[in-house]
Amino acid sequence: LSPSDAPAVELLRTAELEVIGVLSGASNHTLLVRLGGDDERFAVYKPRRGERPLWDFPPGSLCRREVAAYRVSAFLGWDLVPPTVLRDGPHGQGSVQQFVPHDPADHYFSLVADPALHPRLAQLATFDLLVNNADRKGGHVLRVRDDDRLVGIDHGLTFHPQPKLRTVIWDLGAAAIADVWRTDLERLATALRAGDGLLEDLLTAEEVAVLARRAGLLAATEALPDPPADRRPYPWPPV
């Protein structure tokens, strides 16, 4: 956990959740909540009981994967995923993620047109390779209104032990995986192999072991790959 995230994480863990409404367009039950009655602080609450059953992911596991994605991003120090916790709420246990103020017109397909953003997008693409993101749509890449950072959201379909990568971020093929990121990835692989407890409460032992293997492989990889030719590489719909 990044020290800078600690206040946000504590608020997400402890604040009363007041449901404001349902976020439209989500495939699972996704709620906007106010934190502790504060009109300035909001979060996205995804209750476990609202998850749509999938044939290839264990039932009730998507909210845990949302939290696991945040923990991995925080461990790496990449700040790619908004603070996210697992807790009880008005509709039972679920993930609660800090709401990201953003302009909906800013999404991957508009952001990639700016070459200055390519390094951050390449880092996000590296993260998706690491967590085996099966659903990186264009609308899951946001520009934070307050400081122009790029972040990723919607990480419920991640960490599967079998190859599942489906992402829109293929325009940066052959972009370098920076040496400092590779050092971070090796540090993650070492910690996971040592059983440091980072993810054991969220993922299965097999999922953690495969993640450690992917981290080690990426640490030895110099550039992003091209789309695989043997399976569908893009999510649907793309936005």
Side-chain angles (χ1 to χ4, degrees), residues 18-176:
E18 178 189 352
V19 175
I20 303 300
V22 177
L23 296 179
S24 62
S27 56
N28 296 289
H29 203 48
T30 304
L31 303 170
L32 180 67
V33 296
R34 182 183 287 119
L35 297 172
D38 188 334
D39 288 336
E40 299 294 325
R41 298 180 184 273
F42 298 91
V44 176
Y45 167 46
K46 296 183 178 182
R48 178 179 179 178
R49 68 177 64 169
E51 294 178 6
R52 179 170 55 89
L54 299 171
W55 69 269
D56 52 349
F57 281 82
S61 71
L62 304 192
C63 58
R64 296 200 306 273
R65 297 169 195 278
E66 294 271 8
V67 181
Y70 165 68
R71 286 193 196 172
V72 169
S73 169
F75 181 93
L76 294 169
W78 292 4
D79 195 24
L80 286 169
V81 181
T84 313
V85 303
L86 189 69
R87 58 164 288 182
D88 286 331
H91 298 282
Q93 187 185 66
S95 62
V96 180
Q97 182 173 89
Q98 186 179 60
F99 178 76
V100 178
H102 65 283
D103 182 346
D106 279 342
H107 50 67
Y108 171 74
F109 296 105
S110 61
L111 298 168
V112 74
D114 183 353
L117 299 178
H118 286 190
R120 183 64 165 177
L121 290 170
Q123 188 178 39
L124 187 57
T126 303
F127 182 77
D128 284 345
L129 285 166
L130 171 66
V131 302
N132 195 20
N133 194 346
D135 194 37
R136 174 65 75 200
K137 295 182 172 71
H140 298 170
V141 182
L142 308 181
R143 192 203 312 248
V144 182
R145 183 177 296 156
D146 296 338
D147 56 20
D148 284 343
R149 282 182 304 118
L150 301 189
V151 298
I153 61 167
D154 275 349
H155 294 99
L157 301 185
T158 48
F159 299 106
H160 201 288
Q162 300 173 5
K164 295 281 183 181
L165 182 67
R166 288 190 293 271
T167 174
V168 296
I169 310 179
W170 290 114
D171 304 81
L172 306 177

